[in-house]
Amino acid sequence: MDQHIAEAIGRPDLIRLDDRLVCLRFETMKVVSALAAVRRLLDTGAVRRGDTLLDSSSGIYAYALALACHRYGMRCHIVGSTTVDRTLRTQLAVLGATLEQMEPCSDLGLDQKRRVERIHEILAEHPEYHWMRQYHDDIHYLGYRVIADRIREETGGATGLTVVGGVGSGASTGSLARHLRGAAAAPADVELVGVQPYGSLTFGAEHVRDPEIIIAGIGSSIPFGNVSHELYDTLHWISFDAALAGSVDLLRRHAVFAGLSTGAGYLAARHERERAPERTVLFIAADTGHRYVDTVHARYREAAPIEHLAPREVCDPSGLALPWSRMRWNRAPAAPAVRGVGRQG
């Protein structure tokens, strides 16, 4: 029996959508990494119960850290994106977390930069706070080991497994790939496919702008130390409109109600499945669709049939174009400009 709701929320469902397409569905994915990270900090004496944990978030991690702090008797302070909605603000307040939300800003890249600047101001005022550094501290990789074990067990150790997911901070996809490839019982052939929005510098797409929005949470305007570029085999850049079509089709075809990044991952996963009929393809659904009811799902009549969508194949990021591009990354290292700060933890 679970001792706290966070443990139940962090446990994903594995749903077989067809014989070769599997959905790893979370209610809120980052709960599993936040719980494991806070446990490690307490176990090592880096923090004590009652201390304040601090971080920046566009939404999912804020809720995850607030739940982990509630579970372990910690205080939580979040510098939140403009994308944090009323429902999440209310949950954070009732959970006892303090939220500083950035002023409205049409540029999510600038929003992210301002949040990091505010973190440094808070640390100067409160050096006793512990900055969780979700983007840079690979302590956030820890929670996904048990998820990788479950994937391996429930997919039957299938030879030829492709994992597809939004890159974001790099912890979820990076950790799953490492554990699946590294365990003695893992399939020898595990490919990792990362999904990015246009405008993200992580893999060199900062020069291409999406006229709608950057899909929050799966890209970055600053270097992230937790992204291990050398783990990724293939990348997909997917626009808001294409991701919307994926989210709507996933709900209509498979009754899976999920967010915008999941719609993007679903599109990429279907394409990878068609390219390699012998492989099992698993894609990550990081959260439910509730935050996206008005901005995505209510616009279902606008959604293009996904059969009409296909990626443009490019050889390097200079060839990227809306609404969808695909490139073999071949486990290359990051360019010097996006290597970020060193990992720790």
Side-chain angles (χ1 to χ4, degrees), residues 60-132:
I60 294 178
Y61 187 78
Y63 181 50
L65 186 59
L67 285 171
C69 287
H70 189 278
R71 169 71 175 85
Y72 290 111
M74 316 290 291
R75 299 180 187 276
C76 179
H77 190 103
I78 297 292
V79 178
S81 169
T82 61
T83 59
V84 174
D85 61 17
R86 178 175 177 272
T87 299
L88 180 54
R89 289 197 301 270
T90 302
Q91 287 176 291
L92 294 175
V94 175
L95 285 167
T98 303
L99 171 68
E100 291 187 42
Q101 188 169 10
M102 292 292 99
E103 293 297 321
C105 175
S106 59
D107 184 345
L108 288 184
L110 178 60
D111 173 79
Q112 194 171 52
K113 181 174 180 290
R114 288 162 57 199
R115 282 186 277 137
V116 174
E117 290 172 349
R118 179 56 186 149
I119 289 285
H120 287 291
E121 292 174 356
I122 293 169
L123 289 171
E125 299 166 8
H126 297 280
E128 74 278 10
Y129 286 8
H130 182 88
W131 183 14
M132 292 298 294

Side-chain angles (χ1 to χ4, degrees), residues 14 19 22 27 45 97 107 137 143 148-149 162 205 216-217 223 248 277 280 296:
L14 270 166
D19 60 338
V22 177
E27 181 173 339
D107 184 345
D137 190 341
D149 290 341
T162 299
V248 170
T280 296
V296 175

Side-chain angles (χ1 to χ4, degrees), residues 43 54 60 63 74 97 117 121 130 144 163 220 248 270-271 300 317 330 335:
D43 290 345
L54 167 71
I60 294 178
Y63 181 50
M74 316 290 291
E117 290 172 349
E121 292 174 356
H130 182 88
Y144 295 102
V163 176
S220 177
V248 170
R270 283 175 56 92
H271 182 78
Y300 66 92
N330 296 318

Side-chain angles (χ1 to χ4, degrees), residues 79-317:
V79 178
S81 169
T82 61
T83 59
V84 174
D85 61 17
R86 178 175 177 272
T87 299
L88 180 54
R89 289 197 301 270
T90 302
Q91 287 176 291
L92 294 175
V94 175
L95 285 167
T98 303
L99 171 68
E100 291 187 42
Q101 188 169 10
M102 292 292 99
E103 293 297 321
C105 175
S106 59
D107 184 345
L108 288 184
L110 178 60
D111 173 79
Q112 194 171 52
K113 181 174 180 290
R114 288 162 57 199
R115 282 186 277 137
V116 174
E117 290 172 349
R118 179 56 186 149
I119 289 285
H120 287 291
E121 292 174 356
I122 293 169
L123 289 171
E125 299 166 8
H126 297 280
E128 74 278 10
Y129 286 8
H130 182 88
W131 183 14
M132 292 298 294
R133 301 175 79 245
Q134 65 149 323
Y135 304 132
H136 306 299
D137 190 341
D138 64 2
I139 195 172
H140 292 91
Y141 275 49
L142 295 174
Y144 295 102
R145 179 187 294 272
V146 66
I147 309 299
D149 290 341
R150 186 173 167 206
I151 290 170
R152 186 167 52 251
E153 178 183 341
E154 296 202 25
T155 57
T159 300
L161 177 65
T162 299
V163 176
V164 180
V167 177
S169 71
S172 59
T173 50
S175 181
L176 289 175
R178 282 183 176 173
H179 293 312
L180 287 166
R181 289 170 180 165
D189 181 11
V190 176
E191 292 209 349
L192 181 60
V193 176
V195 179
Q196 285 271 277
Y198 291 95
S200 172
L201 67 72
T202 306
F203 289 91
E206 64 272 23
H207 61 291
V208 184
R209 297 295 174 183
D210 191 326
E212 280 272 4
I213 63 167
I214 292 176
I215 303 173
I218 67 169
S220 177
S221 63
I222 59 174
F224 284 171
N226 268 344
V227 178
S228 296
H229 292 71
E230 66 277 7
L231 293 174
Y232 296 85
D233 297 283
T234 302
L235 295 167
H236 287 251
W237 289 267
I238 295 178
S239 71
F240 174 90
D241 288 338
L244 182 150
S247 296
V248 170
D249 189 88
L250 181 61
L251 179 56
R252 179 180 287 131
R253 193 184 304 259
H254 299 290
V256 176
F257 182 49
L260 194 59
S261 67
T262 302
Y266 170 65
L267 274 187
R270 283 175 56 92
H271 182 78
E272 295 300 323
R273 181 193 60 179
E274 295 309 310
R275 290 181 66 94
E278 74 283 359
R279 303 181 69 83
T280 296
V281 181
L282 177 145
F283 69 96
I284 299 170
D287 62 352
T288 66
H290 295 88
R291 290 198 299 157
Y292 304 93
V293 170
D294 293 329
T295 56
V296 175
H297 296 286
R299 297 171 60 179
Y300 66 92
R301 292 183 181 87
E302 303 172 30
I306 61 170
E307 293 80 4
H308 295 176
L309 300 173
R312 169 180 178 159
E313 296 288 334
V314 301
C315 297
D316 62 71

